[in-house]
Amino acid sequence: MAESPAPHHYDPLVDAPPKRRKKGGASAAILISVVVHGAIGYYIYKSKFEPKYKEYSDEAVKVDLVKPPPPPPPPPPPPPPPNTPPPPPPPVQPRPPVAPPPDIAPPPPLALPPVEKPVQAPPPPAPPPPPAPPHIAQITNPDWLRKPNGDDMAQYYPSRAMDLGKEGRAVIKCTVSEKGTVEQCMVVSEDPADLGFGGAALRLSKLFKMKPKTTDGQSVGGAEVVIPLSFKLAG
C-alpha cells in the first residue's frame, strides 16, 4: 500500500512567497452595489420627500358687471276708513300767570254807564205740534163667524162676583187681524168695578172671530172693534 506524502510546511526562507489573489472583482461589485443603492435612495427622495411647487401665472379674467334691477316701488298707503273722525287737536297748555312788577300801578277800573233797561233774551221757539195719530178704521157692525155662547160666559164668569151674586158688564176694544181674530185687547169700562168683569172679558176675547172682509170687500186687518159683554147669573 502506497504511503501518503507528508504535508509540506511553508518555509519563508526556502519557499518562494505565495501568489496573492487579485481583489479587483470584489471592489467593482461593491462599487456597483453602492451606485445602485444611491440611485434607489435618490429616486425615493425625489418621489417622496422633495416638495413639488406648482407654477401659477397671472392671467387677466374679463368680468362683465351686471347692474341689478331697481327695487319695485313701495305699495301706496291704504285709504283711510270711511267716516273716520279727525284726530283731536293737541292740548293747549295754559300759560302760568305773570305777576306785574311791584313798581307799576294797576290801571284804574273802566267807568261803565248804568244800564237803563236790561236786555232780555228772546223766548225759545215753541216746540212743533205732535204728529197726528194715524187714522184707524173702526168696525161698527162686525160680522162674527164665532163668539162666546152661554156656556163660555158661565165658564169665565168672575168667581168673586158669582160668590156675591153680582151681575155686570164690560166693554173691551181690540184690533182685528187679517184672519179675523181679535188681539191687543184693552178694557174700556167695567161695571161694577173691582169684581173682575174686565179681566173675564179679556179672557173671552180669544173666542171671537169675524169674517176677514167686510161687506164692501175691504180687509178687516188692522181695524178696531168695540165689543160689549154682559154677564148674567143663571136664573
Side-chain angles (χ1 to χ4, degrees):
M1 185 173 179
E3 295 180 0
S4 61
H8 177 75
H9 295 282
Y10 173 74
D11 189 358
L13 297 178
V14 179
D15 298 333
K19 294 181 180 180
R20 296 181 179 180
R21 297 178 179 177
K22 294 182 180 180
K23 299 181 180 181
S27 298
I30 293 173
L31 180 60
I32 293 173
S33 176
V34 170
V35 171
V36 171
H37 282 81
I40 293 174
Y42 180 75
Y43 172 76
I44 293 174
Y45 171 76
K46 292 290 287 184
S47 60
K48 298 292 184 180
F49 301 102
E50 184 179 11
K52 298 178 180 180
Y53 301 98
K54 294 183 177 180
E55 294 182 359
Y56 298 94
S57 59
D58 295 336
E59 296 180 359
V61 179
K62 186 178 181 181
V63 178
D64 295 333
L65 297 178
V66 179
K67 187 177 181 181
N83 300 329
T84 302
V92 178
Q93 298 292 338
R95 295 184 178 180
V98 179
D103 55 348
I104 298 178
L110 297 176
L112 298 177
V115 179
E116 298 179 357
K117 186 177 181 181
V119 179
Q120 296 181 357
H135 177 71
I136 299 177
Q138 300 287 335
I139 300 178
T140 58
N141 189 17
D143 188 5
W144 298 109
L145 292 176
R146 184 184 68 230
K147 61 181 179 178
N149 54 23
D151 295 336
D152 298 329
M153 299 292 292
Q155 180 181 356
Y156 289 96
Y157 202 96
S159 58
R160 184 182 177 189
M162 184 175 293
D163 295 340
L164 296 176
K166 297 288 186 179
E167 296 181 348
R169 63 186 307 272
V171 178
I172 58 176
K173 183 169 65 174
C174 305
T175 302
V176 186
S177 67
E178 294 182 356
K179 297 180 180 180
T181 57
V182 295
E183 55 190 18
Q184 300 177 7
C185 298
M186 57 181 297
V187 178
V188 177
S189 64
E190 59 177 331
D191 183 38
D194 300 333
L195 289 182
F197 290 108
L202 293 178
R203 291 190 293 272
L204 284 167
S205 63
K206 62 183 181 181
L207 302 178
F208 285 90
K209 184 177 182 180
M210 67 175 61
K211 291 183 179 180
K213 293 186 179 181
T214 58
T215 55
D216 55 356
Q218 298 293 328
S219 175
V220 297
E224 291 183 348
V225 61
V226 177
I227 305 173
L229 291 170
S230 297
F231 294 87
K232 301 291 184 179
L233 292 172

